[in-house]
Amino acid sequence: MRLRYFIYAQLLLVLALVISCVTEFQPGSVSIPTSLIVEGQITDQPGPYSVKLTKTADYSYKSLNLLETGATVTISDNLGNQEVLKEQSPGGVYVTSANGIQGVAGRSYKLTIKTKAGKQYESDAEVLQAAPPILKLYYEYTVETGGLNFAKNQGWNVYLDTKDPEVLGNYYKWDWQNYEFTAVCSQRELPNGTLTGLGCCSNCWNITRCYNCISLSSDANINGQAISRQLIMRVPYKSTSKYYLEVQQQAISKGAYQFWKSVKGLVSNTGGLFDAAPSSVQGNLHCVNDPATLVYGYFGATGVSEQYINVDRSGGQGTPDADPIPIVPQPSACVVCENSLYRTPNKPRWWQF
């Protein structure tokens, strides 16, 4: 999802720059080639794994249905193992079975796609490398200067320590996700400004991620040495309760590192004349039966090391900068806690509360 938004944003910036440098005119429509966008990976952790297929479209596109549905999506390795992924409803997301194919360090993996229009796509094969373990995960309380809201200035920086292997050519990407228990699965704002909502039919956790935070590193200058105080994220002072955080250290390929480095450059673009163009992040996929067809995204084979931490926020000063709490009428109907990127009924792996 975030990759598609990055591409659209950069195309719009380029368009704005071009229009601002020529005599103003009113075009009937602006067209860009329809291209496939692929997001997915296989890891050495248990699945299921998912691959999301979407499409670019004209700026004047009205439907907003950008999902690539009805495709045949297959993950295979160099030993002949393979699995055809099952498309989820409402479509565009293809998932392996819970007991299906699993990544193994040392094997190479690739993705093949056949769309219902007959186009065939394939990723370059990638060798999966095991990730070194996370040696330490810790946090420090800090107060930033400036700003009118003292609660917003407070936070806990989460850091990671690890050890790079002796072999040169290791590349890293760090991701995180926060789980927070919620009793409200639907909410809306009333005309008077108050929030009302409906409870969850089962236990439910909201999931928070940072979709435009791209944290990368390589061992080009520190081969075989310790990686210390790698900043993962900053925990906000929105409550005095503990903040449950899962951190993922990924061992990625050189190609994946270069791809995400390019994406990170696009995210930080200011729209200047010398900013990189979106086409510079096409990734490791190509169209087999039409080499001129563009395809964006990356399919990676990734080694993963994970660890969790509970950040104690009871030492924050003053009143937290808390979000409004919806009022749930009693008794009330309940809403199903659907499993998605943003919410899950499944208890987090290390949840202790």
Side-chain angles (χ1 to χ4, degrees):
M1 180 190 304
R2 62 183 181 184
L3 177 61
R4 185 173 72 244
Y5 293 157
F6 296 158
I7 293 171
Y8 289 168
Q10 295 308 309
L11 288 171
L12 287 171
L13 287 171
V14 172
L15 177 64
L17 179 62
V18 171
I19 292 175
S20 67
C21 295
V22 299
T23 302
E24 183 177 356
F25 74 102
Q26 298 296 328
S29 64
V30 179
S31 180
I32 59 174
T34 299
S35 304
L36 186 68
I37 303 173
V38 181
E39 302 172 68
Q41 66 175 359
I42 185 171
T43 77
D44 55 0
Q45 300 297 304
Y49 314 112
S50 64
V51 174
K52 186 172 184 179
L53 304 182
T54 51
K55 297 175 288 188
T56 62
D58 289 350
Y59 295 118
S60 57
Y61 197 66
K62 297 294 192 293
S63 171
L64 296 182
N65 180 18
L66 301 174
L67 303 175
E68 180 66 54
T69 61
T72 301
V73 180
T74 306
I75 297 176
S76 59
D77 68 13
N78 59 316
L79 298 183
N81 302 301
Q82 66 175 32
E83 181 175 355
V84 178
L85 283 64
K86 183 178 180 181
E87 186 173 10
Q88 288 188 323
S89 178
V93 178
Y94 302 80
V95 181
T96 62
S97 61
N99 299 316
I101 192 170
Q102 178 174 338
V104 177
R107 297 183 188 177
S108 61
Y109 295 87
K110 70 177 181 178
L111 179 75
T112 56
I113 302 165
K114 183 176 182 180
T115 68
K116 59 184 177 184
K119 287 194 174 181
Q120 298 183 40
Y121 300 85
E122 188 174 282
S123 72
D124 298 332
E126 284 213 340
V127 177
L128 193 156
Q129 297 183 9
I134 298 172
L135 299 179
K136 186 179 180 182
L137 198 59
Y138 53 101
Y139 58 89
E140 294 178 2
Y141 171 78
T142 62
V143 179
E144 297 176 343
T145 58
L148 299 177
N149 189 328
F150 183 60
K152 286 187 176 180
N153 292 352
Q154 301 177 60
W156 292 260
N157 292 334
V158 178
Y159 298 98
L160 174 150
D161 290 351
T162 189
K163 173 70 166 56
D164 180 68
E166 298 292 339
V167 180
L168 184 63
N170 296 289
Y171 302 88
Y172 302 98
K173 183 173 183 287
W174 290 279
D175 286 332
W176 60 266
Q177 51 192 21
N178 157 247
Y179 292 84
E180 185 174 2
F181 186 83
T182 181
V184 181
C185 281
S186 176
Q187 66 180 46
R188 63 187 179 91
E189 185 175 353
L190 298 177
N192 62 5
T194 61
L195 290 177
T196 184
L198 296 176
C200 305
C201 297
S202 64
N203 287 340
C204 193
W205 288 263
N206 287 331
I207 305 173
T208 302
R209 301 177 176 89
C210 183
Y211 290 99
N212 58 358
C213 299
I214 302 175
S215 183
L216 304 165
S217 185
S218 76
D219 66 350
N221 298 317
I222 51 93
N223 182 47
Q225 301 179 30
I227 299 176
S228 301
R229 295 182 64 81
Q230 172 65 44
L231 179 64
I232 301 300
M233 57 90 69
R234 182 172 173 83
V235 176
Y237 185 42
K238 288 183 171 291
S239 169
T240 57
S241 64
K242 290 185 178 179
Y243 188 91
Y244 175 89
L245 187 71
E246 292 185 4
V247 177
Q248 194 176 81
Q249 178 167 273
Q250 300 180 358
I252 60 177
S253 67
K254 181 179 181 180
Y257 173 80
Q258 293 172 336
F259 170 81
W260 285 111
K261 187 176 180 180
S262 297
V263 172
K264 184 175 182 178
L266 290 181
V267 175
S268 59
N269 276 356
T270 60
L273 180 61
F274 301 104
D275 283 345
S279 59
S280 64
V281 291
Q282 291 181 24
N284 67 340
L285 296 114
H286 59 277
C287 184
V288 176
N289 51 3
D290 185 4
T293 297
L294 294 177
V295 53
Y296 297 96
Y298 204 95
F299 178 77
T302 305
V304 171
S305 175
E306 292 180 294
Q307 198 174 120
Y308 81 100
I309 191 170
N310 290 310
V311 178
D312 186 356
R313 295 183 288 182
S314 62
Q317 303 176 46
T319 303
D321 183 39
D323 295 324
I325 300 176
I327 300 172
V328 178
Q330 297 291 339
S332 70
C334 67
V335 176
V336 174
C337 179
E338 296 185 354
N339 198 25
S340 70
L341 286 173
Y342 316 103
R343 184 170 287 169
T344 180
N346 301 321
K347 183 179 178 180
R349 188 187 317 181
W350 295 290
W351 187 265
Q352 301 169 342
F353 313 120

